[in-house]
């Protein structure tokens, strides 16, 4: 086999379809956020030394906790006390008092019995689902068609049979559940806030179906923790259903602004995950300083109701402006606001125009992150974005719209095609 030829052809085909990604190097500043420095690119795609200031509109550091002074102090003082690396896997000297304390904090935050921390939420999803689906003989998975790649990978790698239901469609889910034997093991895998659409899931309805059909529930709350529910403890909590979900997954990398992921639930199930999940057992644990910072961040976020309401108020203001100017977006009642532009080419063009002409950085999102034909600019608002910033963004979008670069009609609720889950085979 000509390996070089294989790799080059695959990338070239991807480029020909317009899906090749450019990774824009940025330098965020603790004091100026959301103003962020980007490196300019030369024609040959190599970095030169020039840079410019732009406003970042696509961060997942939703509450800007990565710049919180108390969190920073905690991280630095922990490094000074215990050094940098953890020195081992969780099993072999890598479980520190910081790790244990963070897991207790997470369980308490979700009002659950136990929690286990992974090096990312991606790893938590992939490895936990793989383990559950491998270990429970004959389990059948029911997965929302817009589920995140990490969930899909875990399911697919396990080889368990999987039925894909239409996005947030309980009838579609129930029809599939009905067709399985009531006594056969089942797991429903879904997210509480779909990050590319910004849509919120009615978690309690899923719980009802799970009970009726005797299924486990696995809920990804990655984009919701820190932002929704009492003390930011998630959307399951908002629906009064956190105790009814078998496994809740969350991240420490978005609203909490650090790195790491976790699953939480009843002790018997977390003990099982801790005992059998390779992605937890066979990797060096997170640095103690990171773990200490995560705990500090959760403590701060718990009492940050003012920041949570600021985000939603600003998002609502932004949406009203979009509506006023007839710019299409998906209205999902959350802080994530996708502006649908359909083709990858158009999303890339608009993103570049916004960057070059208006100093606005919003990453174009296209296949395979979202289905083909539903490319978008995904806008996220943080408490650090001012109303003047929002007005500037709207004005810039409007100027592009007037150049007829943004489709004029307002999009109906997410009517996008089925997501090709098979791509992650
Ligand atoms: C829905 C969803 N789940 C899981 C993850 C993985 O989270 P992490 O960045 O902590 O690995 C992401 C990442 O963006 C996500 O969007």
């Amino acid at each position: 086999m000509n390996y070089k030829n294989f790799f080059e052809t695959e990338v070239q085909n991807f480029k020909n379809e317009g899906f090749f990604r450019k990774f824009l190097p940025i330098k965020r500043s603790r004091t100026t956020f959301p103003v962020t420095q980007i490196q300019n690119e030369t024609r040959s795609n190599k970095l030169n030394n020039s840079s410019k200031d732009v406003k970042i509109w696509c961060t997942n550091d939703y509450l800007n906790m990565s710049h919180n002074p108390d969190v920073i102090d905690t991280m630095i003082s922990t490094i000074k006390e215990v050094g940098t690396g953890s020195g081992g896997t969780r099993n072999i000297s890598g479980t520190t008092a910081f790790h244990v304390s963070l897991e207790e904090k997470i369980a308490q935050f979700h009002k659950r019995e136990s929690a286990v921390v992974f090096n990312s939420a991606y790893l938590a999803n992939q490895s936990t689902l793989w383990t559950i689906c491998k270990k429970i003989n004959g389990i059948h998975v029911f997965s929302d068609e817009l589920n995140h790649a990490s969930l899909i990978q875990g399911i697919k790698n396990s080889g368990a049979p999987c039925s894909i239901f239409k996005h947030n469609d309980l009838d579609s889910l129930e029809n599939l559940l009905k067709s399985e034997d009531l006594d056969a093991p089942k797991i429903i895998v879904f997210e509480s806030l779909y990050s590319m659409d910004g849509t919120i899931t009615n978690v309690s309805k899923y719980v009802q179906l799970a009970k009726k059909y005797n299924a486990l529930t696995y809920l990804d709350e990655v984009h919701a923790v820190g932002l929704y529910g009492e003390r930011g403890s998630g959307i399951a909590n908002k629906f009064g259903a956190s105790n009814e979900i078998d496994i809740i997954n969350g991240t420490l990398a978005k609203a909490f602004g650090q790195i790491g992921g976790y699953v939480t639930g009843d002790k018997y199930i977390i003990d099982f995950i801790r005992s059998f999940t390779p992605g937890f057992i066979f990797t060096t644990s997170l640095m103690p300083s990171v773990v200490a910072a995560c705990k500090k961040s959760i403590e701060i976020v718990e009492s940050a109701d003012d920041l949570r309401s600021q985000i939603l108020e600003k998002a609502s203001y932004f949406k009203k402006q979009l509506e006023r100017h007839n710019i299409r977006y998906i209205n999902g009642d959350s802080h994530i606001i996708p502006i649908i532009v359909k083709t990858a080419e158009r999303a890339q063009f608009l993103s570049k125009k916004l960057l070059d002409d208006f100093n606005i950085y919003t990453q174009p999102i296209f296949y395979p992150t979202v289905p083909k034909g539903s490319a978008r600019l995904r806008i996220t608002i943080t408490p650090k974005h001012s109303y003047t910033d929002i007005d500037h963004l709207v004005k810039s979008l409007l100027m592009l719209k007037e150049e007829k670069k943004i489709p004029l009609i307002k999009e109906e609720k997410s009517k996008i095609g089925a997501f090709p889950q098979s791509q992650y085979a």
Side-chain angles (χ1 to χ4, degrees), residues 13 17 34 46 87 126 128 149 157 167 183 188 202 249 337 393:
N13 291 343
E17 285 195 85
K46 290 207 181 91
Q126 190 200 40
T128 304
N157 292 351
H167 176 49
D183 292 328
I188 304 172
N202 186 333
N249 159 265
I337 303 147
L393 173 62

Side-chain angles (χ1 to χ4, degrees), residues 60 62 118-125 146-151 191-196 220-223 249-254 258-262 378:
N60 283 340
Y62 296 134
F118 288 76
N119 290 5
S120 73
Y122 187 101
L123 193 58
N125 277 339
L146 292 190
N147 273 345
H148 187 256
S150 53
L151 302 164
E191 298 177 27
S192 63
L193 169 50
Y194 280 82
S195 68
M196 291 301 143
D220 175 319
E221 287 251 44
V222 159
H223 292 272
N249 159 265
T251 187
L252 298 156
K254 301 192 194 301
Q258 315 305 310
I259 188 83
Y262 61 86
R378 173 184 176 268

Side-chain angles (χ1 to χ4, degrees), residues 86 117 218 306:
S86 76
V117 167
Y218 187 102
D306 54 329

Side-chain angles (χ1 to χ4, degrees), residues 31 95-96 125 154 191 210 230 242 298 387-388 402 413 417 423:
T31 49
T95 294
T96 68
N125 277 339
E191 298 177 27
E230 270 168 35
S242 4
I298 297 175
Y387 284 95
T388 314
E402 267 147 27
K413 274 235 163 171
Q423 71 185 292

Side-chain angles (χ1 to χ4, degrees), residues 384-396:
K384 294 259 174 91
H385 288 91
S386 66
Y387 284 95
T388 314
D389 292 336
I390 299 175
D391 288 342
H392 175 247
L393 173 62
V394 172
K395 215 166 134 195
S396 311

Side-chain angles (χ1 to χ4, degrees), residues 8 35 41 43 60 86 107 138 142-143 161 163 178 182 195 210 216 235 248 303 318 328 358 386 389:
E8 282 179 350
V35 174
E41 286 171 300
R43 276 183 175 277
N60 283 340
S86 76
F142 297 85
S143 172
S163 300
K178 258 186 212 156
L182 188 63
S195 68
L216 287 169
I235 285 170
I248 293 178
S303 55
F318 178 52
R328 67 165 69 178
F358 303 101
S386 66
D389 292 336

